[in-house]
Amino acid sequence: MQIYLPIAEVSVNAYLLLGLGGMVGVLSGMFGVGGGFLMTPLLFFIGIPPAVAVATEANQIVASSFSGVLAHLRRKTVDLRMGTVLLIGGLIGAALGVAVFNYLKSMGQVDLLVKLCYVVFLGVIGALMFIESLNAIRKTRSGAKPKRRKHNWIHGLPFKMRFRTSGLYISVIPPVIVGVLVGILAAIMGVGGGFIMVPAMIYLLGMPTKVVVGTSLFQIIFVTGFTTLLHATTNYTVDMVLAVLLLIGGVIGAQIGTVIGARLKAEQLRILLAIMVLAVCGKLALDLLIQPAELFSVGTAGGH
């Protein structure tokens, strides 16, 4: 069933979009990522222009994250106080990111930048998570008890705050900085930033994995919602038809994902996520390096 997307100006199969939305929704529920880092490149692969993919995907993340958060709130695995601190940083970052995106769009370089950002970030984060998860799995196999995180430099910073759900007493500066970075990425790459947020919360802030997923989703809802609004009002690149189809799939998938996620061990979850991140990174890098079938594509003036 072919459907025409008015803003993207292409026709695609509606069932394919529902399937993609569902698949990414499952990942969202399992890993606490908005799923944008996988969905946006997948949209590139089926022929959606990067500028439209980025803005519309931010829209879909809001729904699948909201669906995931509801499931986590029922389990009481959301640290609302930490989520709010991350959120303050996230909104500042999102506003900065949209400004950068608009500037690059006027230069005509936005598509290349978006794809390069993906290759770099997915490669680095996928590799780090893969190595760390392998070590964790080895340790659990050998029967060594995982050590509690020792105090690091983050615990010495001022403006401390107690986060009861996470069992932490740390400075608010690191979470705000993490939030700003994630907000910028949300705007430029159309991602919720979960794939950076989740590792940062586990390794930098030392939060327990069970709480990280729900808290990450809570913050992602607001930042991506704000980003979508900015893109819709300044770039006019949000395709509602595309968003609705992805949404329907995403909301159903997120509920299934939360159930699967609750049954897997933390190390297994992390290694699965790392493998997927590396696979998408490899495909994107290949697309950038291999000569395209058509060397010239027709675009509107100003969006070369």
Side-chain angles (χ1 to χ4, degrees):
M1 188 175 92
Q2 290 290 321
I3 191 162
Y4 180 70
L5 305 174
I7 306 280
E9 295 176 345
V10 287
S11 288
V12 283
N13 188 320
Y15 297 121
L16 173 67
L17 291 177
L18 283 171
L20 283 179
M23 187 181 79
V24 172
V26 168
L27 302 177
S28 166
M30 274 171 76
F31 302 119
V33 291
F37 70 97
L38 283 170
M39 179 64 96
T40 313
L42 290 173
L43 291 176
F44 299 165
F45 302 155
I46 61 170
I48 311 282
V52 177
V54 164
T56 309
E57 181 43 32
N59 201 336
Q60 189 258 349
I61 292 168
V62 176
S64 56
S65 300
F66 188 70
S67 171
V69 160
L70 290 178
H72 282 284
L73 278 170
R74 286 199 292 274
R75 294 214 179 91
K76 299 195 166 53
T77 48
V78 181
D79 187 334
L80 293 174
R81 184 177 260 195
M82 176 65 86
T84 310
V85 172
L86 290 164
L87 179 57
I88 294 164
L91 296 179
I92 299 166
L96 287 172
V98 170
V100 172
F101 188 93
N102 286 345
Y103 172 68
L104 286 160
K105 199 169 175 228
S106 64
M107 302 259 295
Q109 294 299 324
V110 81
D111 293 6
L112 178 66
L113 170 90
V114 168
K115 288 188 177 174
L116 280 175
C117 274
Y118 267 102
V119 172
V120 172
F121 272 106
L122 296 183
V124 171
I125 285 163
L128 289 175
M129 276 184 78
F130 188 75
I131 294 161
E132 190 279 335
S133 310
L134 265 184
N135 291 339
I137 287 172
R138 276 208 203 103
K139 275 185 195 138
T140 36
R141 288 244 171 97
S142 64
K145 283 219 164 75
K147 289 198 287 287
R148 278 294 290 165
R149 283 202 169 52
K150 290 194 179 69
H151 276 228
N152 55 11
W153 57 272
I154 284 176
H155 292 84
L157 294 171
F159 307 115
K160 289 199 169 181
M161 203 168 165
R162 192 171 295 287
F163 299 101
R164 284 207 162 72
T165 319
S166 305
L168 292 175
Y169 179 56
I170 55 164
S171 161
V172 294
I173 299 170
V176 168
I177 293 172
V178 169
V180 169
L181 290 175
V182 167
I184 292 173
L185 292 175
I188 293 180
M189 294 165 66
V191 292
F195 69 101
I196 288 175
M197 177 82 86
V198 171
M201 284 155 88
I202 295 171
Y203 305 124
L204 273 180
L205 308 178
M207 285 172 69
T209 306
K210 287 277 176 256
V211 181
V212 163
V213 176
T215 311
S216 160
L217 289 175
F218 168 76
Q219 188 264 1
I220 285 171
I221 294 172
F222 296 100
V223 172
T224 43
F226 182 59
T227 307
T228 307
L229 270 177
L230 289 176
H231 274 303
T233 51
T234 59
N235 295 325
Y236 315 112
T237 45
V238 176
D239 193 313
M240 279 317 293
V241 181
L242 175 60
V244 168
L245 285 168
L246 295 175
L247 279 181
I248 297 167
V251 170
I252 299 165
Q255 295 297 325
I256 301 165
T258 321
V259 176
I260 301 169
R263 294 187 180 168
L264 286 173
K265 285 204 186 95
E267 298 87 42
Q268 294 168 325
L269 274 176
R270 292 207 294 268
I271 204 156
L272 281 174
L273 184 57
I275 291 166
M276 276 169 9
V277 169
L278 288 170
V280 173
C281 171
K283 170 80 176 94
L284 269 178
L286 271 176
D287 284 0
L288 281 176
L289 295 171
I290 294 170
Q291 190 172 354
E294 298 171 25
L295 286 178
F296 300 99
S297 65
V298 181
T300 51
H304 316 302

